[in-house]
């Protein structure tokens, strides 16, 4: 994954959890930071204290969804 793959508001899968992308950089994205990791969930900016962020390098990202794709994913029934 590279810089052009992401824009603010997308979701990046990092260490098994989907995070809202707050900022996009040349080699990383800024995501909301949780001190207690919740593997497998979805973390949005409003879920953490303002200013609590983490830098996730592109090499550590395992997926990308747009905001619309994430909404559809969360609305789809679980088989």
């Amino acid at each position: 994954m590279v810089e052009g793959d992401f824009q603010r508001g997308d979701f990046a899968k990092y260490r098994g959890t989907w995070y809202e992308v707050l900022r996009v950089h040349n080699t990383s994205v800024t995501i909301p930071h949780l001190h207690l990791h919740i593997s497998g969930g979805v973390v949005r900016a409003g879920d953490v204290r303002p200013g609590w962020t983490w830098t996730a390098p592109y090499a550590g990202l395992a997926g990308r969804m747009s905001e619309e794709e994430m909404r559809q994913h969360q609305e789809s029934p679980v088989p």
Side-chain angles (χ1 to χ4, degrees):
M1 302 206 175
V2 295
E3 179 181 8
D5 291 344
F6 290 92
Q7 63 183 14
R8 182 185 171 133
D10 285 347
F11 287 82
K13 191 168 191 178
Y14 182 65
R15 297 184 178 173
T17 301
W18 288 97
Y19 293 91
E20 181 179 356
V21 174
L22 305 175
R23 285 188 289 287
V24 178
H25 310 283
N26 290 338
T27 60
S28 63
V29 293
T30 300
I31 57 176
H33 175 62
L34 287 178
H35 289 285
L36 300 173
H37 183 70
I38 56 163
S39 182
V42 176
V43 180
R44 297 175 182 276
D47 296 339
V48 300
R49 288 187 176 183
W52 284 15
T53 61
W54 190 259
T55 302
Y58 291 124
L61 301 181
R64 179 208 162 269
M65 279 195 217
S66 69
E67 185 176 4
E68 177 62 21
E69 289 169 326
M70 179 58 72
R71 185 187 64 73
Q72 291 174 6
H73 173 73
Q74 290 184 304
E75 290 177 354
S76 65
V78 178

